Amino acid sequence: MADPAPVPPPADARRSFLTKLMAMVGGGLATLTPVAAGVWMTLDPLRRKSSAASFLPITKLESVPDDGLPRQFPVIADRNDAWTGFAAEPIGAVYLRREQGSDTIEAVSATCPHAGCFIELDKRDRCFRCPCHNSVFTLDGGIVSPSPSPRTMDSLECEVRDGRVAVKWENYYSGIAEKVARP
Amino acid sequence: MSDAPAPHTRRGPLAKLADFFDDRTGYRAVVHEALYERVPGGARWRYVWGSSLVFAFITQMVTGLVLWSSYSASAQTAWESVYFIQHEMAGGWLVRGIHHVMAQAMVVLLALHLMQVVIDGAYRAPREVNFWLGLILMQLVLGMALTGYLLPWDQKGYWATRVATNLAGLVPLIGPSLQQLVVGGPDYGHHTLTRFFALHAGFLPGTLIAFLVVHLTLFRKHGLCAKQPITKPDCMFWPDQVLKDVVAMLAVLAVVLGVILLPAVRAMVEGRPIDPGELGAELGAPADPSQPYAAARPEWYFLFLFQFLKVFEGWGADGEFLGAIVVPGAVLGAMFLMPLIGRWKLGHRFNVLFTVAILVGAGLLTAMALREDYAAVWADREAYAHVEQLIEETGNDPEKIAAALGNDDTRIAEFRAEARELEAIRRSEAFFAAVEQAEADAHRAVELAGRPERIPPGGALELIRTDPLSQGPKLFAQHCSSCHAHVDPAAPEAAELLAASSAANLYRFGSAAWARGLLDPEQVAGPAYFGNTAHAEDDMVSYVTDDMSDRDSWSEEQIEAVAVALAAEAAVVGDESLDPAIVEQGRALMADEERCGSCHHAGDNETENGYAPDLAGWAGREWLIGIITNPNHERFYPETNDRMPSFGVAEEGGVPALSETQIGLIADWLRGEWYRGE
Ligand code: FES
């Protein structure tokens, strides 16, 4: 049923090479231009940085009882999500802990260093537990082995000034042994 | 065109029209070729998986396109539009249900198709390329399943996606950039949704269609790989095999519809009304990065990967890398090599064994994951009571435990093993609690979204963050519960909780029942009122215990009237039908400067605020907000405040512990003022 394959007429080899080359380059350019523009735009998220790490006010010192048991606090900050600006939104959570009679505070992020779930406090057993893959941490964020988590909970820099607690809020890459802040 | 009719036969107008098009397109030959494929050895049930998959994919395209037409991908509209589809649009639950369940059916069909191809050796020459195409198609389908899970932007999808994208960050070298590209920036938000949606509805299905066309073309080119040995005569694809395929499609559809309608059947059996929200795919509470979601699990068909991460417990970072990247990558790589391995004498057997091993392994991991989560269902909790007791007594101190067990190594080892089992049971219990909480949250979100005022422009999260019923308990737990209890005095755990509290029980604070307890000489100095506070020996307590118990100065009827009048000031939800006559009588007693009014300002008496809390508007919304904001205000306890912080007062240059909105939420929650659906 099909026609026999057309046989190209014999032609000037040099001219035919040029024709082929031009067709290929022209066609390539024509199709690659939109692709390149698309790739450029698709890569845009790589330019975006999370809000630079800064000290954010969390709470008052007296709101953290000095019983060595961590308390969870939301981290509130202005946040931009692409075109939407949120004023004073919870952007994460920290656990603050104060030893008896102490005026200093230890802060750890509630984000699990394993794969980013939300770590919860088990008051009864006095430890932290991640509900996702069962990582367990001590109250100061130390690792309880064996654990799926590659490192301890991420401690955050914490400042107490005039009875107010501020924490340097940062996000870290999960799943690796070192604590590396995201840009 | 050998079967073109002879020109002299008479033909009707329809046939002429068909001829017209056939002359110009040759469609008859195409249709003929499509339908009259020879099936060596006759039609068989084992050949139906491929067509069922195509059917499932077409179903997904149809339902997906319809869903697309009602879906809006952004952080403030995704959940909202899916809510609207599921709960308000005609047939929304059905279309979404089919899309959701058929996606799962597709994964099952993929596994069956793969098994059949491998067992029949259909990957061998000349079909290698088509086998590879099939593996690519499989990954595309799994990719669509993964990206689709996020689109409703509910807690479940959000947290599962966080884990999945964090794992993508582990890919060597490009991982972090890859993750950022997929997420659409450093944080999850609008662009995570728009990108996942573009992948889910555009890029992945587009690619899939392109590969599917090649896959099917090659399949027809090579012909069906018949099951050997051939014992029956050949037949044609149409209609013998097509009939079998159609039966299989209907079976798949029946299963899908069955899964969707099962809750309706259950509701009918139980005699409940059918709630369309229960049918088809569930919709959790809106995604909230600041709210933990302990019930985070991927879809069941990814549960084996989820469980696989736990297998490498204790391997540190290598474990996660192995579990999430290396092993799954190696398995997939090995599958790509199957056609090459199959050339070797024992290769086919190896391939079959390998595939079976993978599927069995995945099945086992899935079972393990489920067993862990559901351990509490079949565990005998009583059997661990002694373990629990010992842990509690010793504060889980290993030395004390060893001493309690007489330092006997075998007993200690036994105890350790039991303690581990107990922990697993408790984890499972925590999982159940989390699932229950998630369901309650989801239900509440839907209830709020269905209010006549609709969802505000800020999205459903705003609704939940301003809902006293959702936020009150959390705020109370965080800021109030270290002193105040909030427990129904009739509850079994009440005595223990009240003993542990150091301020009044605020359960139904402001109700007539609460006020009766306050005026009861037996209770006023108890733990539910002033017993555990600095007011335990104050004038109020002695007035109630001494004067009010003296029937010459206070009759029971008068005390009741005061309680009712207090409740009338508070006017909390649930106390709407107070007798106005009694209220009137009680108000007069309250204002009476010989009675309550000697210390309290109430009604229009002349007593000034400062010595005792104001009874005008007592426990009302404004009164509650006032005392939470600043208990040292002269309306409350300017001199005698025990320990209550001023939650709404900022120190110089600082922020108050609670915002106005938050204080309002606590007050409304205590007063029972929240939206109640029908
Ligand atoms: S995310 Fe916490 S254990 Fe995996």
Side-chain angles (χ1 to χ4, degrees), chain A residues 68-73 93-98 106-113 118-149 152-155, chain B residues 423 427:
Chain A
L69 200 65
R71 299 291 195 291
Q72 191 202 104
F73 290 90
V94 286
Y95 285 101
L96 301 183
R97 174 170 172 269
R98 180 149 73 114
E106 286 168 36
V108 288
S109 165
T111 308
C112 183
F118 200 117
I119 298 173
E120 298 192 320
L121 179 69
D122 181 339
K123 278 192 203 146
R124 183 161 63 171
D125 290 357
R126 294 181 70 85
C127 65
F128 286 111
R129 288 181 191 283
C130 180
C132 284
H133 314 97
N134 310 339
S135 286
V136 181
F137 303 93
T138 55
L139 287 187
D140 54 6
I143 212 159
V144 176
S145 26
S147 169
S149 174
T152 61
M153 283 170 79
D154 296 318
S155 58
Chain B
E423 196 180 309
R427 263 202 310 262

Short mmCIF file of all heavy atoms in Angstrom, two decimals, chain A residues 68-73 93-98 106-113 118-149 152-155, chain B residues 423 427:
data_model
loop_
_atom_site.label_atom_id
_atom_site.label_comp_id
_atom_site.label_asym_id
_atom_site.label_seq_id
_atom_site.Cartn_x
_atom_site.Cartn_y
_atom_site.Cartn_z
N GLY A 68 13.39 22.91 83.50
CA GLY A 68 14.15 22.01 82.63
C GLY A 68 13.31 21.32 81.58
O GLY A 68 13.82 20.56 80.77
N LEU A 69 12.00 21.58 81.58
CA LEU A 69 11.12 20.97 80.58
C LEU A 69 10.91 21.97 79.44
O LEU A 69 10.50 23.10 79.68
CB LEU A 69 9.79 20.62 81.23
CG LEU A 69 8.95 19.57 80.50
CD1 LEU A 69 9.66 18.23 80.48
CD2 LEU A 69 7.58 19.44 81.15
N PRO A 70 11.21 21.56 78.19
CA PRO A 70 11.06 22.52 77.09
C PRO A 70 9.61 22.90 76.88
O PRO A 70 8.70 22.12 77.16
CB PRO A 70 11.59 21.74 75.88
CG PRO A 70 12.35 20.60 76.44
CD PRO A 70 11.73 20.28 77.75
N ARG A 71 9.40 24.12 76.40
CA ARG A 71 8.06 24.57 76.03
C ARG A 71 8.10 24.99 74.57
O ARG A 71 9.10 25.55 74.11
CB ARG A 71 7.64 25.78 76.88
CG ARG A 71 7.57 25.52 78.36
CD ARG A 71 6.42 24.58 78.70
NE ARG A 71 6.07 24.54 80.10
CZ ARG A 71 6.83 24.02 81.07
NH1 ARG A 71 8.01 23.54 80.82
NH2 ARG A 71 6.38 24.01 82.32
N GLN A 72 6.98 24.73 73.88
CA GLN A 72 6.96 25.07 72.46
C GLN A 72 6.42 26.48 72.26
O GLN A 72 5.44 26.87 72.88
CB GLN A 72 6.03 24.07 71.75
CG GLN A 72 6.13 24.15 70.25
CD GLN A 72 4.88 23.58 69.60
OE1 GLN A 72 4.03 24.30 69.12
NE2 GLN A 72 4.78 22.27 69.59
N PHE A 73 7.07 27.24 71.39
CA PHE A 73 6.60 28.59 71.07
C PHE A 73 6.59 28.77 69.55
O PHE A 73 7.49 28.29 68.86
CB PHE A 73 7.53 29.65 71.67
CG PHE A 73 7.43 29.71 73.17
CD1 PHE A 73 8.26 28.92 73.95
CD2 PHE A 73 6.52 30.55 73.78
CE1 PHE A 73 8.16 28.95 75.34
CE2 PHE A 73 6.42 30.58 75.16
CZ PHE A 73 7.24 29.78 75.94
N ALA A 93 8.38 26.78 64.60
CA ALA A 93 8.23 26.65 66.04
C ALA A 93 9.57 26.29 66.67
O ALA A 93 10.42 25.66 66.04
CB ALA A 93 7.20 25.58 66.38
N VAL A 94 9.75 26.76 67.89
CA VAL A 94 10.97 26.43 68.63
C VAL A 94 10.57 25.86 70.00
O VAL A 94 9.48 26.11 70.49
CB VAL A 94 11.86 27.66 68.91
CG1 VAL A 94 12.56 28.11 67.67
CG2 VAL A 94 11.07 28.78 69.53
N TYR A 95 11.49 25.09 70.54
CA TYR A 95 11.34 24.67 71.92
C TYR A 95 12.33 25.46 72.76
O TYR A 95 13.53 25.49 72.44
CB TYR A 95 11.61 23.18 72.08
CG TYR A 95 10.49 22.33 71.56
CD1 TYR A 95 10.58 21.72 70.31
CD2 TYR A 95 9.34 22.15 72.31
CE1 TYR A 95 9.54 20.93 69.83
CE2 TYR A 95 8.29 21.37 71.83
CZ TYR A 95 8.40 20.76 70.60
OH TYR A 95 7.38 20.00 70.13
N LEU A 96 11.85 26.10 73.81
CA LEU A 96 12.73 26.84 74.72
C LEU A 96 12.77 26.08 76.04
O LEU A 96 11.78 25.53 76.49
CB LEU A 96 12.20 28.25 74.97
CG LEU A 96 12.03 29.12 73.74
CD1 LEU A 96 11.58 30.51 74.14
CD2 LEU A 96 13.33 29.21 72.95
N ARG A 97 13.95 26.08 76.65
CA ARG A 97 14.11 25.31 77.86
C ARG A 97 15.01 26.07 78.81
O ARG A 97 15.99 26.68 78.40
CB ARG A 97 14.77 23.97 77.47
CG ARG A 97 15.14 23.09 78.61
CD ARG A 97 15.51 21.75 77.99
NE ARG A 97 16.05 20.88 78.99
CZ ARG A 97 17.34 20.80 79.28
NH1 ARG A 97 18.21 21.52 78.63
NH2 ARG A 97 17.75 19.98 80.23
N ARG A 98 14.63 26.06 80.09
CA ARG A 98 15.39 26.80 81.08
C ARG A 98 15.62 25.89 82.27
O ARG A 98 14.69 25.29 82.81
CB ARG A 98 14.60 28.04 81.50
CG ARG A 98 15.29 28.90 82.53
CD ARG A 98 14.91 30.36 82.35
NE ARG A 98 13.56 30.64 82.78
CZ ARG A 98 13.26 31.44 83.83
NH1 ARG A 98 14.24 31.99 84.53
NH2 ARG A 98 12.03 31.68 84.17
N GLU A 106 17.94 27.65 76.42
CA GLU A 106 18.41 26.86 75.28
C GLU A 106 17.25 26.76 74.30
O GLU A 106 16.13 26.47 74.69
CB GLU A 106 18.76 25.45 75.72
CG GLU A 106 20.06 25.34 76.49
CD GLU A 106 20.16 23.96 77.12
OE1 GLU A 106 19.71 22.99 76.49
OE2 GLU A 106 20.69 23.89 78.23
N ALA A 107 17.57 26.98 73.02
CA ALA A 107 16.52 26.92 72.02
C ALA A 107 16.87 25.87 70.98
O ALA A 107 18.01 25.79 70.52
CB ALA A 107 16.36 28.27 71.33
N VAL A 108 15.89 25.03 70.64
CA VAL A 108 16.07 24.10 69.52
C VAL A 108 14.89 24.25 68.57
O VAL A 108 13.77 24.55 68.99
CB VAL A 108 16.18 22.62 69.96
CG1 VAL A 108 17.50 22.33 70.63
CG2 VAL A 108 15.01 22.22 70.84
N SER A 109 15.17 24.01 67.30
CA SER A 109 14.12 24.08 66.29
C SER A 109 13.24 22.85 66.40
O SER A 109 13.72 21.76 66.72
CB SER A 109 14.76 24.16 64.92
OG SER A 109 13.79 23.88 63.94
N ALA A 110 11.94 23.00 66.12
CA ALA A 110 11.02 21.86 66.19
C ALA A 110 11.03 21.06 64.90
O ALA A 110 10.34 20.06 64.79
CB ALA A 110 9.61 22.35 66.48
N THR A 111 11.82 21.50 63.92
CA THR A 111 11.87 20.78 62.65
C THR A 111 12.85 19.62 62.75
O THR A 111 13.99 19.80 63.16
CB THR A 111 12.31 21.72 61.53
OG1 THR A 111 11.47 22.88 61.57
CG2 THR A 111 12.18 21.06 60.18
N CYS A 112 12.39 18.44 62.36
CA CYS A 112 13.22 17.24 62.52
C CYS A 112 14.38 17.26 61.52
O CYS A 112 14.17 17.49 60.32
CB CYS A 112 12.38 15.99 62.30
SG CYS A 112 13.27 14.46 62.56
N PRO A 113 15.62 17.02 61.99
CA PRO A 113 16.76 17.02 61.07
C PRO A 113 16.76 15.79 60.16
O PRO A 113 17.55 15.73 59.23
CB PRO A 113 17.97 17.00 62.01
CG PRO A 113 17.47 16.57 63.33
CD PRO A 113 15.99 16.82 63.38
N PHE A 118 7.49 17.55 62.19
CA PHE A 118 7.38 18.43 63.36
C PHE A 118 7.61 17.58 64.62
O PHE A 118 6.81 16.72 64.94
CB PHE A 118 5.98 19.03 63.36
CG PHE A 118 5.84 20.28 64.18
CD1 PHE A 118 5.50 21.47 63.58
CD2 PHE A 118 6.03 20.25 65.55
CE1 PHE A 118 5.36 22.62 64.33
CE2 PHE A 118 5.89 21.39 66.30
CZ PHE A 118 5.56 22.59 65.69
N ILE A 119 8.68 17.86 65.33
CA ILE A 119 9.01 17.06 66.51
C ILE A 119 8.10 17.44 67.67
O ILE A 119 7.79 18.61 67.87
CB ILE A 119 10.48 17.30 66.91
CG1 ILE A 119 11.39 16.85 65.77
CG2 ILE A 119 10.82 16.57 68.19
CD1 ILE A 119 12.83 17.17 65.98
N GLU A 120 7.66 16.44 68.42
CA GLU A 120 6.77 16.71 69.54
C GLU A 120 7.45 16.36 70.85
O GLU A 120 8.36 15.54 70.91
CB GLU A 120 5.50 15.90 69.38
CG GLU A 120 4.77 16.29 68.12
CD GLU A 120 3.37 15.73 68.05
OE1 GLU A 120 3.20 14.57 68.44
OE2 GLU A 120 2.48 16.48 67.62
N LEU A 121 6.94 17.01 71.90
CA LEU A 121 7.51 16.78 73.23
C LEU A 121 6.69 15.69 73.93
O LEU A 121 5.47 15.76 73.96
CB LEU A 121 7.45 18.07 74.03
CG LEU A 121 7.99 17.98 75.44
CD1 LEU A 121 9.50 17.79 75.42
CD2 LEU A 121 7.62 19.22 76.24
N ASP A 122 7.37 14.69 74.46
CA ASP A 122 6.71 13.67 75.26
C ASP A 122 6.98 14.01 76.72
O ASP A 122 8.07 13.75 77.23
CB ASP A 122 7.26 12.29 74.88
CG ASP A 122 6.57 11.19 75.67
OD1 ASP A 122 5.99 11.49 76.73
OD2 ASP A 122 6.62 10.03 75.21
N LYS A 123 5.97 14.63 77.36
CA LYS A 123 6.19 15.10 78.73
C LYS A 123 6.37 13.93 79.67
O LYS A 123 7.14 14.00 80.62
CB LYS A 123 4.99 15.92 79.18
CG LYS A 123 5.02 17.34 78.70
CD LYS A 123 3.98 18.17 79.42
CE LYS A 123 3.63 19.39 78.57
NZ LYS A 123 2.26 19.80 78.68
N ARG A 124 5.64 12.84 79.41
CA ARG A 124 5.68 11.72 80.35
C ARG A 124 7.06 11.08 80.38
O ARG A 124 7.62 10.84 81.44
CB ARG A 124 4.64 10.69 79.95
CG ARG A 124 4.58 9.56 80.93
CD ARG A 124 3.30 8.82 80.81
NE ARG A 124 3.19 8.23 79.48
CZ ARG A 124 2.22 7.38 79.17
NH1 ARG A 124 1.31 7.06 80.06
NH2 ARG A 124 2.16 6.86 77.97
N ASP A 125 7.62 10.83 79.21
CA ASP A 125 8.94 10.19 79.18
C ASP A 125 10.07 11.22 79.18
O ASP A 125 11.23 10.86 79.05
CB ASP A 125 9.06 9.29 77.94
CG ASP A 125 8.17 8.09 78.07
OD1 ASP A 125 7.53 7.96 79.12
OD2 ASP A 125 8.11 7.29 77.12
N ARG A 126 9.73 12.45 79.26
CA ARG A 126 10.72 13.53 79.25
C ARG A 126 11.71 13.38 78.10
O ARG A 126 12.93 13.25 78.30
CB ARG A 126 11.44 13.61 80.60
CG ARG A 126 10.49 14.02 81.74
CD ARG A 126 11.21 14.14 83.07
NE ARG A 126 12.12 15.27 83.13
CZ ARG A 126 11.75 16.50 83.47
NH1 ARG A 126 10.50 16.76 83.73
NH2 ARG A 126 12.65 17.45 83.54
N CYS A 127 11.17 13.37 76.90
CA CYS A 127 12.04 13.32 75.72
C CYS A 127 11.28 13.93 74.54
O CYS A 127 10.09 14.19 74.65
CB CYS A 127 12.45 11.89 75.40
SG CYS A 127 11.07 10.86 74.91
N PHE A 128 11.97 14.16 73.44
CA PHE A 128 11.33 14.60 72.20
C PHE A 128 11.10 13.37 71.32
O PHE A 128 11.95 12.47 71.28
CB PHE A 128 12.24 15.56 71.43
CG PHE A 128 12.33 16.93 72.02
CD1 PHE A 128 13.50 17.37 72.61
CD2 PHE A 128 11.25 17.79 71.97
CE1 PHE A 128 13.60 18.64 73.13
CE2 PHE A 128 11.33 19.07 72.48
CZ PHE A 128 12.51 19.50 73.07
N ARG A 129 9.99 13.37 70.58
CA ARG A 129 9.76 12.29 69.65
C ARG A 129 9.31 12.87 68.31
O ARG A 129 8.49 13.79 68.28
CB ARG A 129 8.62 11.39 70.13
CG ARG A 129 8.97 10.54 71.30
CD ARG A 129 7.79 9.67 71.68
NE ARG A 129 8.04 9.04 72.95
CZ ARG A 129 8.83 8.00 73.13
NH1 ARG A 129 9.42 7.45 72.08
NH2 ARG A 129 9.04 7.50 74.32
N CYS A 130 9.83 12.30 67.23
CA CYS A 130 9.34 12.68 65.91
C CYS A 130 8.32 11.65 65.48
O CYS A 130 8.60 10.45 65.51
CB CYS A 130 10.48 12.76 64.90
SG CYS A 130 9.85 13.23 63.28
N PRO A 131 7.13 12.08 65.12
CA PRO A 131 6.08 11.12 64.80
C PRO A 131 6.29 10.41 63.46
O PRO A 131 5.61 9.44 63.18
CB PRO A 131 4.81 11.97 64.75
CG PRO A 131 5.27 13.33 64.43
CD PRO A 131 6.65 13.47 65.02
N CYS A 132 7.23 10.88 62.65
CA CYS A 132 7.32 10.31 61.30
C CYS A 132 8.08 8.99 61.26
O CYS A 132 7.54 7.96 60.91
CB CYS A 132 7.93 11.31 60.33
SG CYS A 132 6.72 12.57 59.88
N HIS A 133 9.37 9.04 61.62
CA HIS A 133 10.13 7.79 61.55
C HIS A 133 10.73 7.44 62.91
O HIS A 133 11.77 6.80 63.00
CB HIS A 133 11.22 7.87 60.49
CG HIS A 133 10.74 8.44 59.19
ND1 HIS A 133 10.90 9.78 58.86
CD2 HIS A 133 10.07 7.88 58.18
CE1 HIS A 133 10.35 10.00 57.69
NE2 HIS A 133 9.83 8.88 57.25
N ASN A 134 10.08 7.93 63.95
CA ASN A 134 10.42 7.53 65.33
C ASN A 134 11.79 7.98 65.82
O ASN A 134 12.38 7.30 66.64
CB ASN A 134 10.34 6.02 65.52
CG ASN A 134 9.04 5.44 65.02
OD1 ASN A 134 8.06 6.15 64.90
ND2 ASN A 134 9.04 4.17 64.74
N SER A 135 12.32 9.06 65.36
CA SER A 135 13.55 9.56 65.98
C SER A 135 13.20 10.04 67.39
O SER A 135 12.16 10.65 67.61
CB SER A 135 14.11 10.74 65.20
OG SER A 135 14.70 10.28 64.01
N VAL A 136 14.10 9.74 68.34
CA VAL A 136 13.90 10.19 69.72
C VAL A 136 15.09 11.07 70.09
O VAL A 136 16.23 10.78 69.72
CB VAL A 136 13.80 8.98 70.67
CG1 VAL A 136 13.55 9.46 72.09
CG2 VAL A 136 12.71 8.03 70.23
N PHE A 137 14.81 12.15 70.80
CA PHE A 137 15.87 13.06 71.23
C PHE A 137 15.73 13.33 72.72
O PHE A 137 14.62 13.30 73.27
CB PHE A 137 15.79 14.39 70.47
CG PHE A 137 15.84 14.24 68.98
CD1 PHE A 137 14.66 14.15 68.25
CD2 PHE A 137 17.05 14.19 68.29
CE1 PHE A 137 14.69 14.01 66.87
CE2 PHE A 137 17.08 14.06 66.92
CZ PHE A 137 15.90 13.97 66.21
N THR A 138 16.86 13.62 73.35
CA THR A 138 16.79 13.98 74.77
C THR A 138 16.27 15.41 74.91
O THR A 138 16.14 16.13 73.92
CB THR A 138 18.19 13.91 75.41
OG1 THR A 138 19.06 14.74 74.64
CG2 THR A 138 18.71 12.48 75.40
N LEU A 139 15.99 15.81 76.14
CA LEU A 139 15.37 17.14 76.33
C LEU A 139 16.28 18.27 75.87
O LEU A 139 15.80 19.34 75.53
CB LEU A 139 15.01 17.34 77.81
CG LEU A 139 13.81 16.55 78.30
CD1 LEU A 139 13.46 16.96 79.71
CD2 LEU A 139 12.61 16.72 77.39
N ASP A 140 17.60 18.04 75.87
CA ASP A 140 18.47 19.10 75.36
C ASP A 140 18.73 18.92 73.86
O ASP A 140 19.63 19.54 73.31
CB ASP A 140 19.77 19.20 76.16
CG ASP A 140 20.49 17.87 76.22
OD1 ASP A 140 20.03 16.92 75.55
OD2 ASP A 140 21.50 17.78 76.94
N GLY A 141 17.95 18.06 73.22
CA GLY A 141 18.05 17.91 71.78
C GLY A 141 19.04 16.84 71.32
O GLY A 141 19.21 16.64 70.13
N GLY A 142 19.69 16.18 72.28
CA GLY A 142 20.67 15.16 71.93
C GLY A 142 20.01 13.95 71.30
O GLY A 142 18.81 13.72 71.46
N ILE A 143 20.80 13.16 70.61
CA ILE A 143 20.27 12.03 69.86
C ILE A 143 20.16 10.82 70.77
O ILE A 143 21.00 10.63 71.64
CB ILE A 143 21.19 11.78 68.64
CG1 ILE A 143 20.40 11.26 67.47
CG2 ILE A 143 22.31 10.84 68.98
CD1 ILE A 143 21.11 11.47 66.16
N VAL A 144 19.10 10.05 70.64
CA VAL A 144 18.99 8.78 71.36
C VAL A 144 19.12 7.68 70.31
O VAL A 144 18.26 7.54 69.46
CB VAL A 144 17.62 8.66 72.07
CG1 VAL A 144 17.49 7.31 72.74
CG2 VAL A 144 17.45 9.78 73.08
N SER A 145 20.23 6.96 70.36
CA SER A 145 20.45 5.98 69.29
C SER A 145 19.87 4.63 69.70
O SER A 145 19.74 4.36 70.86
CB SER A 145 21.93 5.86 68.94
OG SER A 145 22.71 6.19 70.03
N PRO A 146 19.55 3.77 68.71
CA PRO A 146 19.69 4.05 67.30
C PRO A 146 18.57 4.97 66.82
O PRO A 146 17.46 4.87 67.31
CB PRO A 146 19.56 2.68 66.66
CG PRO A 146 18.70 1.91 67.59
CD PRO A 146 18.99 2.44 68.96
N SER A 147 18.91 5.84 65.89
CA SER A 147 17.92 6.81 65.45
C SER A 147 18.02 6.99 63.95
O SER A 147 19.12 6.97 63.40
CB SER A 147 18.20 8.14 66.14
OG SER A 147 17.44 9.15 65.57
N PRO A 148 16.90 7.18 63.27
CA PRO A 148 17.00 7.48 61.84
C PRO A 148 17.64 8.84 61.61
O PRO A 148 18.16 9.11 60.54
CB PRO A 148 15.55 7.49 61.37
CG PRO A 148 14.73 6.92 62.47
CD PRO A 148 15.50 7.10 63.74
N SER A 149 17.58 9.70 62.60
CA SER A 149 18.09 11.05 62.40
C SER A 149 19.61 11.05 62.35
O SER A 149 20.27 10.41 63.16
CB SER A 149 17.61 11.96 63.52
OG SER A 149 18.23 13.21 63.38
N THR A 152 21.81 15.62 65.92
CA THR A 152 20.99 16.08 67.03
C THR A 152 19.98 17.10 66.51
O THR A 152 20.08 17.56 65.38
CB THR A 152 21.86 16.77 68.09
OG1 THR A 152 22.49 17.89 67.47
CG2 THR A 152 22.92 15.84 68.63
N MET A 153 19.03 17.47 67.36
CA MET A 153 18.11 18.53 66.96
C MET A 153 18.92 19.80 66.73
O MET A 153 19.97 19.99 67.31
CB MET A 153 17.06 18.77 68.05
CG MET A 153 15.97 17.71 68.07
SD MET A 153 14.92 17.82 69.53
CE MET A 153 13.84 19.17 69.11
N ASP A 154 18.39 20.67 65.88
CA ASP A 154 19.15 21.87 65.54
C ASP A 154 18.99 22.94 66.61
O ASP A 154 17.90 23.48 66.79
CB ASP A 154 18.69 22.40 64.18
CG ASP A 154 18.99 21.41 63.08
OD1 ASP A 154 20.10 20.83 63.11
OD2 ASP A 154 18.12 21.18 62.22
N SER A 155 20.08 23.24 67.28
CA SER A 155 20.01 24.29 68.29
C SER A 155 20.04 25.64 67.59
O SER A 155 20.61 25.78 66.50
CB SER A 155 21.18 24.17 69.25
OG SER A 155 22.37 24.25 68.52
N GLU B 423 6.81 0.76 74.37
CA GLU B 423 7.01 2.02 73.67
C GLU B 423 6.35 1.98 72.29
O GLU B 423 5.75 2.96 71.85
CB GLU B 423 8.49 2.33 73.55
CG GLU B 423 8.72 3.77 73.19
CD GLU B 423 10.19 4.10 73.05
OE1 GLU B 423 10.94 3.77 73.98
OE2 GLU B 423 10.56 4.67 72.02
N ARG B 427 3.55 4.43 70.92
CA ARG B 427 3.69 5.20 69.67
C ARG B 427 2.44 5.02 68.83
O ARG B 427 1.94 5.96 68.22
CB ARG B 427 4.91 4.72 68.91
CG ARG B 427 6.12 5.55 69.14
CD ARG B 427 7.12 5.39 68.02
NE ARG B 427 7.41 4.02 67.71
CZ ARG B 427 8.47 3.35 68.15
NH1 ARG B 427 9.33 3.93 68.93
NH2 ARG B 427 8.67 2.10 67.81
#
